[in-house]
Amino acid sequence: MKVMKFGGTSVGSPERMKNVCQLITRSGEPTFVVLSAMSGTTNSLVEISNYFYKKNLDGAHDIINQLERKYMQHADELFEDEKTNSDIKSFLKERFMFLRSFSKDTFTSFEERIVVAQGEILSTNIVVAYLKQCGIKATLISALDFMKIDKNQEPDMMHIKKEINDILNRETGYQIYITQGFICKNAYDEIDNLQRGGSDYTASLIGAAIQAEEIQIWTDIDGMHNNDPRIVDNTEPVHQLNFEEAAELAYFGAKILHPTCVQPAKNAGIPVALKNTMEPDAPGTIINNELQRGTIKAVAAKDNITAIKIKSSRMLLASGFLRKVFDTFEEFNTPIDMVCTSEVGVSMSIDNPRNLDAIVDKLKKYGTITVDRNMCIICVVGDLDWENLGFETLVTQAMKDIPVRMISYGGSNFNISYLIKESDKKKALQNLSRVLFK
């Protein structure tokens, strides 16, 4: 069985929903499908939650009414059968009345998670109803019946595997099994979620749990490109990536794939295919455990980076200095992207400056602090093992006209990263594309 995931833009209109239904049924084989909320719906639900937080009930009801009208119109475009149309409209009315019910009580983060989960519940019910109208044997499996995270917000794989396989053993004879991405239950049996982009994660977790033949992530572009097509002309899809290469690209800016998606599939040895709903027969990108030796695959960029340098003569030969520095970032729950050290200093980059002032204040105990904002990480990914002579030189040659704040190389066999000013990003990406891929 294959797992197919479709994002918000892929189910963003009645026409696109029909297209998705054609894609998932054309093989005629049993298929497990993960759907996101229709594009724009989650943002509307977050806005509704914000109004409820502020006790602005009129504002919340205005957005709910707009969203309900939109979905009712979609129902008329999708469902020609009178009974199906009536049934789905009754379902929609019930869901939107449920949203309105949150105006009666205190609104907390618990209620917000329930509200935000409604987008996926709406899209999956609509698509299953449309498939049944088309005569397809389809069933809806609620993600809340099997997808669970533990107290550390990590997937409870034993629970997921047991519950989903029990459900599939009971629900036999269907061609299409549909579930929600993103949403789950937490360790306290409350409705929760896998954070933004979590539908990719859902698909990967399901694929690993049922030992799927392949996990397909369908979006509106034809695979992962070798550079940012918004900035660089004539980029091309990368036909194959190793799991490690894909993880580096996803983390450092390639938006097509959520960074967390790769790990469950990698651990289970299940290939992940990135496909285009607009060009379903295009090869896209396949991600697996194979490694193409001697090849640089792609470039990605990550914006909104802040660099922090700690200079201290006390660092020289001082045991425990780096531990104190890293403990400071851990204390304020701030991950570090890049690290470079010298005899008298250490530089680090972060992408979340929320606790920057508190971090800098504490680090001043250990040395003189310099902060550089509005930076960008340029990441070059491929087979960058240190024994591949000349690869790092080739990349550096492409960056010769760009002022570089930090370089990270050797922490992984799959990437070399440069920290530069955001204002130099366009030139850097274009230079790298010209030198590496032309």
Side-chain angles (χ1 to χ4, degrees):
M1 184 182 289
K2 290 181 180 179
V3 175
M4 302 173 75
K5 175 261 174 180
F6 294 88
T9 55
S10 295
V11 291
S13 68
E15 193 60 37
R16 289 199 169 190
M17 281 188 171
K18 292 177 182 179
N19 186 39
V20 163
C21 290
Q22 290 176 354
L23 286 174
I24 64 180
T25 56
R26 65 177 183 168
S27 72
E29 299 174 355
T31 305
F32 207 117
V33 180
V34 178
L35 298 180
S36 297
M38 290 179 68
S39 57
T41 299
T42 300
N43 289 337
S44 294
L45 293 169
V46 169
E47 189 176 3
I48 290 166
S49 298
N50 288 337
Y51 279 122
F52 279 138
Y53 270 124
K54 294 176 173 64
K55 301 190 184 303
N56 183 347
L57 304 186
D58 289 341
H61 288 151
D62 282 346
I63 304 301
I64 293 172
N65 292 339
Q66 291 173 25
L67 203 57
E68 183 175 22
R69 286 194 295 270
K70 174 183 173 182
Y71 272 85
M72 290 298 182
Q73 182 180 342
H74 290 339
D76 284 333
E77 293 181 44
L78 279 168
F79 301 105
E80 299 172 359
D81 178 75
E82 278 190 33
K83 185 178 185 309
T84 306
N85 187 297
S86 176
D87 288 346
I88 203 69
K89 283 186 174 179
S90 295
F91 163 77
L92 292 173
K93 286 177 183 177
E94 181 269 324
R95 285 290 95 188
F96 285 106
M97 285 304 296
F98 177 64
L99 287 176
R100 293 183 182 97
S101 71
F102 288 96
S103 62
K104 299 175 183 177
D105 301 307
T106 302
F107 197 82
T108 68
S109 60
F110 170 76
E111 285 80 18
E112 181 183 16
R113 291 194 295 269
I114 297 173
V115 168
V116 173
Q118 299 310 304
E120 281 72 19
I121 292 172
L122 290 169
S123 65
T124 50
N125 275 273
I126 290 171
V127 169
V128 167
Y130 180 77
L131 287 167
K132 289 179 178 178
Q133 177 181 265
C134 296
I136 304 298
K137 289 186 176 179
T139 188
L140 177 62
I141 299 175
S142 174
L144 303 178
D145 289 340
F146 65 87
M147 190 61 62
K148 193 169 187 177
I149 53 176
D150 60 23
K151 292 180 181 179
N152 298 317
Q153 306 294 304
E154 294 296 328
D156 185 342
M157 279 306 300
M158 289 184 64
H159 175 91
I160 295 167
K161 186 174 182 178
K162 177 184 181 303
E163 295 302 321
I164 197 169
N165 283 291
D166 285 350
I167 291 169
L168 288 175
N169 288 333
R170 291 195 305 268
E171 301 287 335
T172 58
Y174 292 98
Q175 181 185 343
I176 304 296
Y177 298 85
I178 288 185
T179 195
Q180 301 89 13
F182 180 62
I183 67 175
C184 63
K185 288 283 189 75
N186 61 26
Y188 309 101
D189 212 34
E190 301 165 340
I191 292 179
D192 213 316
N193 57 67
L194 300 171
Q195 307 303 315
R196 284 294 182 101
S199 292
D200 291 351
Y201 205 7
T202 300
S204 189
L205 291 167
I206 291 171
I210 68 173
Q211 280 297 298
E213 172 190 343
E214 183 177 77
I215 299 162
Q216 297 179 352
I217 308 295
W218 290 79
T219 65
D220 53 0
I221 59 174
D222 50 347
M224 194 175 285
H225 279 230
N226 60 7
N227 210 323
D228 190 336
R230 297 167 299 181
I231 296 174
V232 179
D233 294 332
N234 301 317
T235 63
E236 296 178 352
V238 181
H239 295 306
Q240 186 273 341
L241 288 167
N242 178 271
F243 277 116
E244 298 285 352
E245 294 170 334
E248 297 279 7
L249 287 170
Y251 182 76
F252 284 105
K255 302 299 184 185
I256 187 174
L257 184 68
H258 195 266
T260 53
C261 173
V262 174
Q263 200 62 41
K266 175 190 172 185
N267 292 343
I270 298 169
V272 176
L274 308 180
K275 306 284 283 182
N276 185 356
T277 53
M278 306 303 166
E279 296 182 44
D281 295 320
T285 300
I286 189 75
I287 303 169
N288 52 32
N289 278 316
E290 296 177 14
L291 177 63
Q292 293 181 355
R293 292 290 180 185
T295 304
I296 293 177
K297 296 290 186 65
V299 179
K302 189 175 185 180
D303 295 327
N304 303 314
I305 302 297
T306 301
I308 304 165
K309 180 168 71 174
I310 309 164
K311 184 179 179 181
S312 173
S313 57
R314 291 179 294 164
M315 180 181 174
L316 186 64
L317 303 178
S319 174
F321 178 87
L322 286 177
R323 177 181 58 79
K324 293 175 183 176
V325 171
F326 292 135
D327 282 350
T328 301
F329 287 89
E330 183 178 357
E331 178 185 344
F332 293 100
N333 196 30
T334 302
I336 296 170
D337 289 318
M338 294 174 64
V339 180
C340 291
T341 64
S342 73
E343 291 292 350
V344 294
V346 55
S347 287
M348 290 150 293
S349 72
I350 61 173
D351 65 359
N352 182 359
R354 184 179 59 204
N355 296 313
L356 178 62
D357 291 342
I359 290 169
V360 169
D361 187 61
K362 187 160 186 177
L363 289 176
K364 285 180 178 177
K365 296 179 182 179
Y366 312 124
T368 304
I369 310 300
T370 304
V371 176
D372 295 308
R373 294 176 173 83
N374 301 317
M375 306 296 284
C376 169
I377 294 176
I378 302 291
C379 176
V380 179
V381 168
D383 178 23
L384 288 161
D385 188 278
W386 66 279
E387 293 183 340
N388 289 337
L389 296 178
F391 273 30
E392 68 277 13
T393 305
L394 184 65
V395 177
T396 303
Q397 176 68 18
M399 298 288 289
K400 66 179 182 178
D401 298 327
I402 308 294
V404 176
R405 169 69 176 76
M406 290 169 60
I407 300 176
S408 177
Y409 176 57
S412 160
N413 288 337
F414 302 98
N415 99 51
I416 178 169
S417 298
Y418 295 80
L419 184 68
I420 64 173
K421 295 177 182 176
E422 279 187 6
S423 56
D424 291 323
K425 178 175 96 168
K426 180 177 180 179
K427 184 177 180 181
L429 292 179
Q430 291 175 340
N431 286 358
L432 285 164
S433 197
R434 186 183 67 254
V435 172
L436 300 179
F437 307 128
K438 302 300 180 185

